[in-house]
Amino acid sequence: MSDAYHVPVLLPASVAALQIMPDGIYADATFGGGGHSRAILAQLGEQGRLFGFDQDSDAQANAPQDPRFRLIAHNFSHIKQYLRLYGIKQLDGIIADLGVSSHQFDTPERGFSIRYDQQPLDMRMNQQDDNAPTAADILNTYNEAQLVSIFQEYGELPASKRLAHAIVNARRGGKLRNVGDLKHLAAQLCRKRSKGEYLAQLFQALRIAVNAEMDALKKLLGT
Ligand SMILES: C[S@@+](CC[C@H](N)C(=O)[O-])C[C@H]1O[C@@H](n2cnc3c(N)ncnc32)[C@H](O)[C@@H]1O
């Protein structure tokens, strides 16, 4: 695995907080490039075990070949059920490094980044899930009130109502398809100076909605 996939922040502090026991059983709920997992494995003894979860199939290429490690390519909201399949009823610690990886941001066709224009408004972490809405699905089908609530709750976005109204108006003339379509609309509602910040908040809000990130976290915390 190269550092290009993702360089985790606060790596030593977050792994230290797990207070790893060499024979313990741990889960890395957001495996990604495997930075946290490798640091945990370095502290585990021969009997220790680590289960990694990631719903993005791209992460599978980073799985270490280590008999103590197992990558489960699914959403962590079902962690309890998957761990049961391996006879695990209790963990000694779990780490979740929430959000998206640098790899996801840096892959233009995933649609997560405001740096590109022609790419589709996708933003799904799990591209195998054909039932999950893309960002374009949300922008083209949700009603104005639903859009406002996403922008306010997940992005604390100024002018949320005006943006939702502009989106609903614009899509009467044709669907929003590409990152550039959304950027063009949103740019009209913010000051030039704060455009980057505004777009980042907007894309964060949409990404959280597309991936139902709050629901997944609630399920994980309730497990
Ligand atoms: C910030 S990155 C984690 C990076 C990782 N700690 C590392 O060291 O490379 C978040 C990762 O978690 C995954 N992810 C986010 N939410 C998830 C969920 N609900 N279930 C499974 N994977 C999830 C994303 O696909 C992404 O690869």
Side-chain angles (χ1 to χ4, degrees), residues 148-162:
V148 171
S149 134
I150 287 172
F151 299 153
Q152 287 181 343
E153 256 184 72
Y154 302 150
E156 296 174 18
L157 197 71
S160 288
K161 287 185 180 161
R162 280 201 294 144

Side-chain angles (χ1 to χ4, degrees), residues 151-190:
F151 299 153
Q152 287 181 343
E153 256 184 72
Y154 302 150
E156 296 174 18
L157 197 71
S160 288
K161 287 185 180 161
R162 280 201 294 144
L163 178 60
H165 192 67
I167 289 168
V168 170
N169 268 342
R171 72 193 192 196
R172 288 196 185 107
K175 285 187 175 175
L176 296 166
R177 294 184 193 280
N178 298 331
V179 170
D181 296 340
L182 181 60
K183 278 165 64 176
H184 176 71
L185 257 186
Q188 298 167 13
L189 297 175
C190 62

Side-chain angles (χ1 to χ4, degrees), residues 6 8 30-31 33-36 54-55 74-76 97 99-100 104 125:
H6 188 84
T30 51
F31 174 76
H36 283 103
D54 204 301
Q55 60 181 331
H74 289 283
N75 195 305
F76 62 57
D97 179 15
V100 270
Q104 288 164 330
M125 291 182 195

